[in-house]
Amino acid sequence: MLSAPQRPWQDAVLDYLVSITGEGLEAEAVVTSLEGDSLDAYFSDLAERFRGWEGVREWRSLEGQLRIVAKWSSRGHVTLRVHLRSTHHRDVWETSAEFDVEAGAEMDALSTEVAQFFAASR
């Protein structure tokens, strides 16, 4: 989940909060980006490739707090592995979680949500 977009210097730098929740997992970290580092374009590309692709498609934030690896399966789903790490030097941690998303309508909806999040932060 993406939330709390802020522009600390009123320029292209955009900080936002990423939260991952799942069975026995709750993690959140602030991600620093330049205008979102084209995360919206990454999800748009995944949605457009609903018929699949070879290998993995990977995206990484500017400072590496967030990394997403997408793999298409022949079942018509995309497995998203989301890697999240802290930005605090005293308390370093990293976690990841995997989510399956239907390659058609669910991926389109996710892509739209990400695009709307970054459009609202401009």
Side-chain angles (χ1 to χ4, degrees):
M1 171 187 251
L2 309 177
S3 64
Q6 296 181 5
R7 293 192 182 273
W9 297 287
Q10 307 304 313
D11 61 4
V13 175
L14 175 67
D15 292 343
Y16 56 95
L17 187 64
V18 175
S19 303
I20 299 176
T21 57
E23 200 171 307
L25 172 67
E26 287 187 32
E28 63 181 30
V30 174
V31 173
T32 299
S33 72
L34 290 176
E35 298 292 350
D37 297 329
S38 300
L39 182 57
D40 53 347
Y42 171 79
F43 275 102
S44 177
D45 183 59
L46 294 179
E48 289 173 11
R49 295 173 181 267
F50 65 92
R51 289 190 176 92
W53 61 84
E54 294 290 320
V56 298
R57 304 197 50 83
E58 188 170 345
W59 176 90
R60 180 183 174 282
S61 65
L62 176 68
E63 295 183 356
Q65 300 101 337
L66 177 62
R67 186 168 57 97
I68 302 172
V69 179
K71 184 174 183 180
W72 187 82
S73 82
S74 59
R75 304 175 292 138
H77 285 80
V78 176
T79 299
L80 298 173
R81 176 162 284 282
V82 179
H83 301 265
L84 190 61
R85 71 176 179 86
S86 68
T87 56
H88 303 290
H89 298 290
R90 294 181 305 189
D91 185 26
V92 177
W93 56 265
E94 185 169 339
T95 191
S96 65
E98 218 170 69
F99 305 91
D100 282 331
V101 179
E102 184 264 324
E106 284 184 7
M107 185 58 77
D108 280 340
L110 182 58
S111 174
T112 298
E113 284 181 38
V114 172
Q116 289 173 344
F117 174 80
F118 287 109
S121 70
R122 290 188 176 101

